[in-house]
Amino acid sequence: QVQLVQSGAEVKKPGSSVKVSCMASGGPFNKYSFNWVRQAPGQGLEWMGAIIPIFGTPNYAQEFQGRVTITADDSTRTTFMELSRLRFEDTAMYYCARGPVLPVGVVLVPKYYFDYWGQGTLVTVSS
Amino acid sequence: EIVMTQSPVTLSVTPGERATLSCRASQSINNNLAWYQQKPGQAPRLLIYGASTRATGIPARFSGSGSGTEFTLTISSLQSEDFAVYYCQQYHNWPPLTFGGGTKVEIK
C-alpha cells in the first residue's frame, strides 16, 4: 500500500527557510516523480516543482526558481522541499504528490498527474 | 504557460442529479488532463487521468471526456460524499504544470 507521510507543521519568520520532508512507502521509490504542490488558505493548487529520483535533476516552476530546492534520498525513500527567503504569502499547506513514470519502448516517460498525495504540511510565515 | 479555466465556479446540485463540470485549456493539451476531488481538510484525490481514464477505485458514476482544449467531468448521480471542490490539471506542457481554479459542487 502506497503512503506518502510528510513532516509536521512549521512556523517560520519572514526571510527564513523551511524544509519539508515526504517519506514514501510501498512501490519502487526511484521510478516515480515526486512533486510539491502548495495551497494557500482558501485558494487553489499551485505546482512548485518535481524530482524523479532515477533521473536526479529537479524541475521547478519559474515562480519559485532560486528560492526552492527539491532533493531525494533513495536510502530513506524521502524527498525534501526547501523554500528560502520566506514571505507572508508563502503561508500555505504544502503537499507532496507522486506521479507515474511509464516505459514507452526503452524510454521512461514521466506522466505528471498525481496518483498519491501526502497528508500536507502547514507552513505558517509569521513575525 | 498553459492557463486552465474551470466553470462554473460553484455548482448547486440536488443529490441524485447529474453534475457537469467544464475545464478549458488556453492551448491544445491533447488528452493530457487529470481531474481531482478535494474535500475540506483533505489532500486532493485523483479521479481521472488521460482525460477519460478512471483512477483505481473511482466509482463508475465519475466520467471524463474531451480532448484538445475542452474537457468535461460528469458525475452521473451525485451522492452525499461527492460534494467537494474539483480541479482539473494539465500535464502536456511543463514546467509549469497548471491547475484550474476549481469548481465547488454544493448541495442545492
Side-chain angles (χ1 to χ4, degrees):
Chain A
Q1 180 183 353
V2 176
Q3 272 196 303
L4 302 179
V5 179
Q6 299 182 222
S7 50
E10 303 263 13
V11 180
K12 294 292 183 179
K13 294 200 180 302
S16 67
S17 299
V18 67
K19 191 170 186 177
V20 182
S21 67
C22 171
M23 188 173 74
S25 60
F29 176 73
N30 62 358
K31 290 183 181 176
Y32 289 92
S33 69
F34 290 91
N35 299 260
W36 289 89
V37 176
R38 77 177 186 179
Q39 186 171 38
Q43 302 301 307
L45 301 168
E46 182 177 30
W47 180 81
M48 301 177 67
I51 191 166
I52 301 174
I54 197 171
F55 296 157
T57 304
N59 283 287
Y60 303 124
Q62 178 86 13
E63 177 183 350
F64 299 100
Q65 282 277 2
R67 281 210 304 145
V68 69
T69 304
I70 296 174
T71 55
D73 182 340
D74 282 7
S75 67
T76 60
R77 299 172 61 91
T78 302
T79 60
F80 301 89
M81 185 283 299
E82 184 170 21
L83 188 62
S84 63
R85 302 193 299 279
L86 288 168
R87 311 159 183 159
F88 294 117
E89 54 266 35
D90 292 319
T91 293
M93 187 70 79
Y94 289 76
Y95 294 103
C96 66
R98 192 188 82 165
V101 177
L102 304 175
V104 179
V106 296
V107 178
L108 292 175
V109 177
K111 293 290 187 181
Y112 283 104
Y113 57 86
F114 311 129
D115 55 3
Y116 288 93
W117 294 67
Q119 83 277 19
T121 296
L122 180 62
V123 174
T124 303
V125 182
S126 174
S127 55
Chain B
E1 173 176 328
I2 297 177
V3 177
M4 306 300 293
T5 303
Q6 290 187 243
S7 61
V9 173
T10 304
L11 184 62
S12 299
V13 185
T14 302
E17 288 189 342
R18 172 188 296 256
T20 302
L21 289 67
S22 296
C23 176
R24 173 178 293 178
S26 60
Q27 64 189 75
S28 177
I29 58 170
N30 294 343
N31 68 338
N32 294 306
L33 183 99
W35 289 96
Y36 302 87
Q37 176 194 68
Q38 188 178 32
K39 297 179 181 179
Q42 296 184 17
R45 176 175 73 143
L46 177 67
L47 299 175
I48 301 283
Y49 62 93
S52 60
T53 302
R54 275 190 302 278
T56 303
I58 302 303
R61 64 181 182 273
F62 291 92
S63 63
S65 63
S67 66
T69 62
E70 300 285 343
F71 301 87
T72 300
L73 176 69
T74 302
I75 312 170
S76 60
S77 176
L78 268 159
Q79 307 297 301
S80 57
E81 61 267 29
D82 300 335
F83 291 96
V85 180
Y86 292 83
Y87 293 96
C88 61
Q89 177 233 331
Q90 68 82 19
Y91 52 95
H92 183 70
N93 264 8
W94 52 270
L97 302 164
T98 49
F99 294 85
T103 292
K104 181 179 181 180
V105 178
E106 63 177 24
I107 300 174
K108 188 173 183 180

